[in-house]
Amino acid sequence: MKHTTLILIILLIFVSCSNKSDEKKTDSEGVITYKVSYETDEDANPIVALLPTVVEYKFKNNDISVLSEGYLGFFSTKFISKIGEPKSSILFKILNNKMNYEFSSDEIPFIYSHKLATKIKYLKTDKVIAGYKCKLARVYIEELPNPIDVYYTRDICLENPNRNTPFNKIDGVLLEFETTMNKIKARFSAQNICLTPVNTKEFIIPADYVKSDVKTILKYALSFKE
């Protein structure tokens, strides 16, 4: 009886956290965990030591929440976008300061060092990442000397998954890509995809976050670096 119970528990875990393409759902929700690495090392820029190495991308009913935390949780950013809403938000927590930066749902926020892709080439290269079949897209951005290669999957049902990013023209969830944020180049690679229920609270802005502008947020960010 004990062995039967153990087998059932293992099967339940396997089904709820399956990362296979054949587990695609019509109204999928879940969590993608990315490993983050940086082109710049700590010796060249000490701030790299404070940056997150893991990012969680949560989705439910086409709403998106992306959380990254750095330096023992002393600072964090959380992107929240609800489908059909005119505005998105980035929540900044720097020490005890909690700020909500709102921007248009079709805008690329200031944290990105480059803007919308000007050209995208869709290639036939296939690759499996975290159990999902991916296609390769070569992205050209006007101010960058070289294109960016990104791998995306269409086996996760999510409308406009790359909204508010330079890659928003790509109709698929990015599982491997690089971008430059605050002048630091970061590479994201999906390590695990778990199709599991996500609490709706993940997409609600807490009442203790105060609406702030770019100038105020940068002031606190610069003071933290010091």
Side-chain angles (χ1 to χ4, degrees), residues 26-154:
T26 304
D27 297 308
S28 58
E29 57 183 300
V31 182
I32 304 173
T33 304
Y34 294 90
K35 178 183 177 182
V36 188
S37 58
Y38 302 94
E39 184 177 273
T40 305
D41 59 30
E42 296 177 19
D43 294 332
N45 189 344
I47 194 65
V48 172
L50 307 178
L51 298 177
T53 56
V54 175
V55 168
E56 284 192 339
Y57 181 113
K58 298 182 179 181
F59 54 97
K60 181 186 183 75
N61 298 329
N62 291 314
D63 294 340
I64 296 171
S65 168
V66 184
L67 175 66
S68 61
E69 293 183 315
Y71 196 59
L72 303 176
F74 286 130
F75 72 89
S76 67
T77 63
K78 186 175 185 179
F79 167 73
I80 295 178
S81 175
K82 302 189 75 173
I83 196 72
E85 294 290 332
K87 291 187 177 181
S88 299
S89 287
I90 299 179
L91 306 181
F92 293 88
K93 184 174 80 71
I94 304 173
L95 298 178
N96 294 322
N97 303 289
K98 298 180 179 181
M99 296 162 284
N100 171 19
Y101 175 69
E102 286 189 348
F103 52 96
S104 171
S105 59
D106 58 0
E107 178 185 341
I108 297 175
F110 72 94
I111 61 172
Y112 288 98
S113 300
H114 43 249
K115 299 301 180 182
L116 184 65
T118 52
K119 180 182 177 183
I120 301 174
K121 284 186 177 179
Y122 294 96
L123 307 177
K124 294 184 178 180
T125 305
D126 291 332
K127 184 177 182 179
V128 176
I129 301 173
Y132 278 74
K133 297 174 184 176
C134 296
K135 293 288 186 181
L136 173 62
R138 187 153 292 158
V139 179
Y140 296 81
I141 297 175
E142 188 173 340
E143 64 266 31
L144 297 182
N146 300 309
I148 300 172
D149 285 351
V150 304
Y151 285 91
Y152 66 97
T153 183
R154 288 180 175 162

Side-chain angles (χ1 to χ4, degrees), residues 5-6 9 19 44 58 63 76 87 132 157 171 189 200 210:
T5 303
L6 180 60
I9 292 172
N19 58 5
K58 298 182 179 181
D63 294 340
S76 67
K87 291 187 177 181
Y132 278 74
C157 294
D171 185 21
S189 180
T200 54
V210 179

Side-chain angles (χ1 to χ4, degrees), residues 14-25 28 128-134 153-157 175 192-195:
F14 177 79
V15 171
S16 65
C17 292
S18 175
N19 58 5
K20 301 299 181 184
S21 292
D22 57 8
E23 290 295 326
K24 182 173 74 171
K25 299 179 181 180
S28 58
V128 176
I129 301 173
Y132 278 74
K133 297 174 184 176
C134 296
T153 183
R154 288 180 175 162
D155 288 340
I156 297 174
C157 294
L175 295 189
N192 182 58
I193 301 171
C194 189
L195 297 182

